[in-house]
Amino acid sequence: MDQQETIKLPIAILSDLFNNCLVDLKNPDNASNLPTIAPAETFAGVPVDTVVVSLAEGKELPSQQLEFLNNIMKACKLEQSDYAIIANTQHGSPDYNSIFSQFKQKQLILFGIAPADIGLPINFPHFQVQSFQQVRYLAAPKLDVIEADKALKMQLWQCLKQLFPS
């Protein structure tokens, strides 16, 4: 029995199984007894087509915003294994080059973050799909702002239909 069975679990299942266990192994001197949220580098090589970066006040998105975002992605017919969410805290922004090298995405959606905040050398307004280096970008207001405004939801939906044609 020298054969080894390999089972690949979607990120959604893994995150449900180990929702409090992701630890930043690059920072073992963490004084806290509680595990920290792992940085995006932990998920390097994850095959996703879409990366969502959203401004969060803490280490992760509040549950209401996360649920709203997951519902948006379901409406686009995407499973949780098809996209990655990076919560961009006030402490620093990810760089678009590092995001691209980690995820190899085809789409990058920014909620509450300007393109310049992630180092993109182009600038474009909210709700305008923009292509750059074979990646399509969409910038939008923060999730909680969109959730509270029906007109913004409609604008977002029109853009998402361009990103994810059925």
Side-chain angles (χ1 to χ4, degrees):
M1 291 200 181
D2 56 8
Q3 290 182 343
Q4 186 177 23
E5 187 175 330
T6 303
I7 299 174
K8 293 185 179 182
L9 295 174
I11 294 172
I13 292 174
L14 287 174
S15 65
D16 286 344
L17 289 172
F18 303 105
N19 61 350
N20 291 325
C21 298
L22 292 177
V23 178
D24 183 358
L25 298 176
K26 293 181 181 177
N27 188 8
D29 298 331
N30 207 350
S32 172
N33 290 334
L34 298 172
T36 59
I37 302 300
E41 294 89 41
T42 304
F43 304 107
V46 174
V48 296
D49 285 338
T50 303
V51 174
V52 178
V53 181
S54 182
L55 186 62
E57 301 301 322
K59 290 184 177 181
E60 57 189 38
L61 287 175
S63 60
Q64 181 179 352
Q65 289 180 30
L66 184 60
E67 182 179 344
F68 178 61
L69 178 57
N70 286 328
N71 288 336
I72 290 170
M73 296 292 110
K74 282 180 193 173
C76 296
K77 297 184 172 101
L78 296 176
E79 300 292 325
Q80 285 185 325
S81 61
D82 296 330
Y83 60 95
I85 300 171
I86 300 173
N88 177 37
T89 64
Q90 298 286 350
H91 302 359
S93 299
D95 177 70
Y96 83 96
N97 282 320
S98 65
I99 295 170
F100 183 74
S101 68
Q102 291 165 28
F103 295 103
K104 310 285 191 254
Q105 77 278 358
K106 296 175 185 171
Q107 288 89 225
L108 181 68
I109 304 171
L110 304 170
F111 287 104
I113 301 169
D117 292 344
I118 63 165
L120 276 170
I122 57 173
N123 194 17
F124 49 93
H126 287 167
F127 304 117
Q128 178 181 316
V129 176
Q130 184 70 43
S131 294
F132 177 70
Q133 294 182 342
Q134 300 176 338
V135 177
R136 292 185 300 170
Y137 296 88
L138 172 63
K142 291 174 66 173
L143 284 165
D144 55 347
V145 173
I146 294 172
E147 187 176 21
D149 188 325
K150 188 174 182 176
L152 291 178
K153 284 182 193 176
M154 291 302 296
Q155 284 184 290
L156 176 63
W157 181 243
Q158 293 303 316
C159 293
L160 291 173
K161 287 193 305 189
Q162 291 176 34
L163 282 179
F164 309 106
S166 322

